[in-house]
Amino acid sequence: ARARADSLAAAKANAASAAGMTDVRSVITATVFFDYDASDIREDGRAVLEAKVPVLAANPAVRIRISGHADDRGSDEYNLALGQRRAAALKRWLGQRGIAAERIVLASYGEDRPSCTMEDETCWVKNRRAEFEIVSGPATLVVPK
């Protein structure tokens, strides 16, 4: 519960920082984290996504890749499918807020690209994520009004 509260506070701070839009590229590439064995978007993830919407709307030529990741518990096949479900959930969420589906490509790496390799919960939580990457678009991004 404490880790979730800390994560939510960090997401709200990131969203507040994003409101200033000092670095729109970092808003687009901000990571969303997930609970164990879940693809449901948590409250802290929604805050990160809410900050992305105006930036993506103001930059319609930008295409992104959402890559889903999982911790190393579970089979390789299961974790690839879980990563795909996570990425697809985020694409659906953005689509429901007006971001065109053709601007978003999905990838799943399952457990193959961990951000942390220790075998404990503090590490696993970092690996249950979806990463955003700009794959095409102008070099200079527009700051939303």
Side-chain angles (χ1 to χ4, degrees), residues 44 121 139:
D44 59 336
E121 186 58 32

Side-chain angles (χ1 to χ4, degrees), residues 62-84:
V62 169
R63 291 178 44 97
I64 60 172
R65 174 182 301 118
I66 304 172
S67 58
H69 300 264
D71 63 35
D72 63 355
R73 297 174 290 176
S75 70
D76 292 345
E77 296 80 15
Y78 182 83
N79 286 335
L80 279 171
L82 179 58
Q84 185 69 25

Side-chain angles (χ1 to χ4, degrees), residues 9-29:
K12 286 183 178 179
N14 286 342
S17 170
M21 298 298 174
T22 57
D23 184 3
V24 293
R25 192 168 298 276
S26 67
V27 172
I28 293 173
T29 60

Side-chain angles (χ1 to χ4, degrees), residues 96-113:
Q96 291 167 350
R97 278 133 189 103
I99 307 303
E102 59 270 8
R103 295 177 56 196
I104 305 169
V105 294
L106 303 181
S108 177
Y109 297 109
E111 63 190 68
D112 291 341
R113 295 186 181 184

Side-chain angles (χ1 to χ4, degrees), residues 2 6 13 27 32 39 49 63 69 86 98 110 122 130 137 144:
R2 178 72 184 148
D6 289 344
V27 172
V32 172
S39 58
L49 291 168
R63 291 178 44 97
H69 300 264
R86 288 173 172 168
T122 59

